Amino acid sequence: QGELPGGLEVAIKRLSTCSVQGLMEFKTEIQLIAKLQHTNLVRLLGCCLQAEEKMLIYEYMHNKSLDCFIFDSAKGAILKWERRFRIIDGIAQGLLYMHKHSRLRVIHRDLKASNILLDRDMNPKISDFGLARIFCSNVTEANTTRVVGTHGYIAPEYASEGLFSTKSDVFSFGVLLLEIISGKRTAGFYQYGKFFNLTGYAYQLWQEAKWHEMVDQVLGVDYPVTEVMKCVQVALLCVQDSADDRPGMSDVVAMLSGEGLTLPEPRQPAYFNVRLSSLPESNSSFGESSYISNVALTDEDGR
C-alpha cells in the first residue's frame, strides 16, 4: 500500500527477482490492463521497469481479495447473499466485457477467488492479467504446449490438450461461483464425501435434489432459495465436461439476471468420475497431483 503526492491511495505490486512471472507476463499485464477499461476490472495507474525492478501501481482495494472472505467463517458472515450475488454479477459482467465487448478479446486463464479484488464498497474487480491471452475477433480457440493456471480451476480440455478459449474462463467462473455459494475451496484442499473436488460433490447433490446442503452455513436459512438454486444450476452448466455444452458469458449474464427462465439441465461436470474409490491407495491423501499432471500450475498465493 502506498500514497501518491496528491494523496491518492495505491497498491504497488513488486515482483521479486525469483518470481515465476517473467518479463513477458509482466509486459502482457501492463499492455492488457492499460487497454481494458471496465468497472469490474482493476485499474492500472502506472508501472516501473528499471534495472531489476518490475512494479505495477494499481488503484487500492480496501477489502483485499475475495478469498479472504468466502473461505473465512468470521469474515464470510459479512457477505450476506445479496452482497455475494452482486459480486457474482460483477465478475460475470467483467468477463463478458473481456470476451465480447472490449476492443480486444481476452482470455484470462487464471480466474480464481484470490484474483478477484474488492473495493471499499465490496465491488469486485478482476485482477492479475499476467497469464492472459489476446484473441483476434475471428478466432475462437487456441492451443498451447505450456498449460498454466491454478489447480481446480483449469478446464479439462486445457489441462489435457492445451486447448483454451472463452469457455476455459467460463469453466473457471463456474468453479468460482460454487465456491462463493458454498464458502469452500475447490479441489486440492478438501474431501467432499466420495469426491476430491467441489464440482463433483455439487453435481451429486444437484441430482439428489439436495443442493441446499452445499450452501455456506454462515448464510443460515435466510437467503432467497430460488435465486441461490439458479446460481447453483448456472455454475454446474459452466463446469460441464464438454466445452461445447458450456454457455458463453453473455448467456451466463442473461441467466443470472433473468427471472422465470427455464434453464437446461446440467450434464456431468469435469473430473466427476475421480472419486476416492477410483484412486490408488498411494494417492489416498489429497494432493494437487491427484488428477492433473504435466501441467504448470500456480498455487493459491499471488505470483
Side-chain angles (χ1 to χ4, degrees), residues 14-293:
R14 182 189 187 194
L15 272 70
S16 66
T17 54
C18 59
S19 171
V20 296
Q21 181 173 2
L23 182 61
M24 181 184 299
E25 287 90 347
F26 181 80
K27 289 183 175 180
T28 297
E29 189 161 4
I30 295 173
Q31 293 168 353
L32 279 177
I33 301 180
K35 294 177 181 177
L36 296 175
Q37 300 293 328
H38 189 272
T39 186
N40 294 117
L41 303 184
V42 70
R43 188 159 57 101
L44 182 69
L45 302 176
C47 63
C48 169
L49 179 56
Q50 184 174 347
E52 296 299 316
E53 290 288 0
K54 301 182 186 71
M55 292 186 286
L56 298 173
I57 295 90
Y58 294 106
E59 57 179 328
Y60 183 68
M61 297 288 106
H62 291 79
N63 285 303
K64 299 183 179 180
S65 55
L66 181 60
D67 61 319
C68 296
F69 288 86
I70 60 175
F71 303 138
D72 184 297
S73 57
K75 291 184 178 180
I78 300 173
L79 296 183
K80 302 301 183 184
W81 176 254
E82 182 182 356
R83 184 166 277 170
R84 293 191 191 212
F85 186 77
R86 288 208 318 266
I87 290 172
I88 291 167
D89 182 66
I91 299 168
Q93 295 288 350
L95 277 178
L96 175 59
Y97 168 78
M98 290 166 54
H99 290 177
K100 189 172 182 179
H101 297 312
S102 69
R103 290 177 295 171
L104 309 169
R105 176 179 290 176
V106 178
I107 313 299
H108 190 280
R109 296 204 300 173
D110 199 21
L111 187 72
K112 57 185 177 181
S114 59
N115 281 341
I116 305 300
L117 304 183
L118 301 170
D119 68 11
R120 191 188 299 272
D121 299 317
M122 301 298 284
N123 296 310
K125 295 180 184 286
I126 300 171
S127 70
D128 201 341
F129 290 82
L131 300 180
R133 287 287 295 271
I134 302 172
F135 274 24
C136 298
S137 59
N138 61 340
V139 176
T140 58
E141 68 176 18
N143 182 270
T144 181
T145 56
R146 178 174 176 255
V147 177
V148 294
T150 301
H151 180 81
Y153 296 89
I154 300 178
E157 70 278 2
Y158 185 33
S160 61
E161 303 172 52
L163 288 173
F164 64 93
S165 65
T166 55
K167 296 298 184 71
S168 308
D169 279 353
V170 169
F171 180 89
S172 302
F173 174 79
V175 174
L176 181 56
L177 182 46
L178 289 175
E179 290 183 327
I180 294 172
I181 295 168
S182 67
K184 296 180 174 62
R185 295 184 187 272
T186 185
F189 299 89
Y190 297 103
Q191 175 184 320
Y192 300 101
K194 296 181 180 180
F195 292 90
F196 267 152
N197 56 78
L198 185 57
T199 55
Y201 178 63
Y203 184 67
Q204 177 176 284
L205 290 179
W206 177 264
Q207 287 187 310
E208 296 173 354
K210 298 178 181 179
W211 61 268
H212 57 277
E213 292 184 9
M214 68 171 291
V215 177
D216 196 339
Q217 292 184 355
V218 301
L219 293 174
V221 295
D222 185 22
Y223 58 82
V225 174
T226 302
E227 188 171 72
V228 176
M229 180 179 176
K230 177 176 66 175
C231 287
V232 173
Q233 189 170 358
V234 170
L236 290 173
L237 289 170
C238 290
V239 298
Q240 291 177 110
D241 195 29
S242 172
D244 292 335
D245 290 337
R246 295 173 214 147
M249 285 312 301
S250 56
D251 297 319
V252 169
V253 169
M255 288 187 288
L256 289 174
S257 60
E259 295 184 5
L261 297 177
T262 302
L263 306 186
E265 190 65 21
R267 297 184 180 181
Q268 182 173 294
Y271 316 122
F272 179 73
N273 291 320
V274 181
R275 311 188 191 193
L276 285 173
S277 59
S278 67
L279 294 173
E281 188 171 343
S282 61
N283 213 12
S284 58
S285 62
F286 196 39
E288 290 203 354
S289 59
S290 295
Y291 57 82
I292 299 180
S293 60

